[in-house]
Amino acid sequence: MRTHKPYGTYERCFKRPFDICCALAALLVFSWLYILVAILVRVKLGSPVLFTQERPGKDEKVFKLYKFRSMTDQRDENGDLLPDDVRLTKFGRLLRSTSLDELPEAFNILRGDMSVVGPRPLLVEYLPLYSQRQARRHEVRPGLSGHAQVHGRNTVSWNEKFELDVEYVDHITFLSDVRIIIDTVMKAFIKREGISSETAATMEPFRGAGKDLV
């Protein structure tokens, strides 16, 4: 795997302190929102309130991701979970469209698992499916939001999304991070775009890079 070289002074010296300040500010200023969402999730979707899942981070190191749950545990007669589009309720869609389900990831940022801005952490099972270029998304910490999330989120193809991730990895700047944060807030709370692809409740599973990709 290619060794990542920081693009500049911001990435090398200031991005991590910036992440810590943002996460602490979010926890302090929006503590009331964390409590409110947690109560609503408990009432409408049940317990546990938090959803945890292993995700690959920087250098493909696996960590435990924290989110507010947005789906029920509805199962069929055989005990198997029902499809996502059935378990994703109207309330769950609201959490996702406003990105409120992502709030607990502030703790992942404080732990050093994640950054405020970076490629989104995907499933561990996708790791062997990436092309060499796509795998470069793991050269930096994954983000709460990212370049791909403000350019289509779940409405662009996997290949387009990964290309945007690599583009970000190669050009991390303070201004680009601030711009992505502002765009994320705009899309989540004002435009509320990109929550679902055309054929799935969120995004179709990644099946592999394709033979034409390096």
Side-chain angles (χ1 to χ4, degrees):
M1 182 178 291
R2 174 178 169 178
T3 301
H4 178 70
K5 295 181 179 180
Y7 184 68
T9 304
Y10 165 69
E11 183 184 359
R12 186 169 55 251
C13 302
F14 298 110
K15 185 172 173 63
R16 179 62 186 148
F18 177 71
D19 288 339
I20 293 172
C21 289
C22 288
L24 286 175
L27 289 170
L28 291 173
V29 175
F30 296 108
S31 57
W32 61 272
L33 184 57
Y34 279 80
I35 295 172
L36 176 61
V37 174
I39 292 172
L40 289 174
V41 169
R42 177 65 179 84
V43 171
K44 292 181 175 292
L45 300 176
S47 61
V49 169
L50 290 180
F51 168 80
T52 62
Q53 188 175 56
E54 290 191 335
R55 299 287 178 94
K58 186 177 185 294
D59 299 325
E60 300 183 358
K61 181 180 178 180
V62 176
F63 68 96
K64 185 173 291 186
L65 178 80
Y66 301 104
K67 298 175 70 172
F68 282 122
R69 70 181 299 178
S70 57
M71 291 187 183
T72 67
D73 283 331
Q74 288 179 277
R75 299 173 182 269
D76 61 21
E77 60 275 9
N78 297 318
D80 297 321
L81 288 172
L82 294 175
D84 287 358
D85 58 347
V86 175
R87 296 188 295 119
L88 184 61
T89 65
K90 184 177 180 180
F91 174 68
R93 290 182 184 277
L94 175 64
L95 289 180
R96 291 191 177 193
S97 66
T98 56
S99 296
L100 290 174
D101 62 320
E102 312 281 358
L103 287 175
E105 290 171 37
F107 295 103
N108 288 118
I109 294 173
L110 290 177
R111 285 165 50 92
D113 301 323
M114 295 177 61
S115 176
V116 174
V117 179
R120 282 294 297 164
L122 300 175
L123 300 178
V124 175
E125 63 197 60
Y126 291 170
L127 286 176
L129 303 178
Y130 296 130
S131 68
Q132 184 177 354
R133 179 171 175 78
Q134 291 171 345
R136 294 195 55 227
R137 68 194 309 278
H138 293 290
E139 293 178 5
V140 299
R141 286 187 179 89
L144 180 64
S145 186
H147 191 41
Q149 278 58 54
V150 298
H151 288 86
R153 197 173 176 182
N154 290 329
T155 61
V156 297
S157 71
W158 281 113
N159 290 340
E160 291 173 304
K161 184 178 297 188
F162 294 146
E163 193 60 34
L164 289 167
D165 286 340
V166 175
E167 181 182 316
Y168 173 80
V169 168
D170 286 337
H171 302 91
I172 296 175
T173 68
F174 176 70
L175 289 179
S176 68
D177 276 8
V178 170
R179 189 178 300 114
I180 288 171
I181 291 170
I182 293 173
D183 286 346
T184 299
V185 173
M186 291 288 291
K187 288 179 178 293
F189 293 101
I190 298 177
K191 297 181 180 179
R192 293 171 63 179
E193 299 172 339
I195 180 176
S196 303
S197 71
E198 294 181 356
T199 58
T202 51
M203 185 71 180
E204 296 82 1
F206 179 52
R207 303 299 186 188
K211 296 181 180 180
D212 57 330
L213 297 176
V214 178

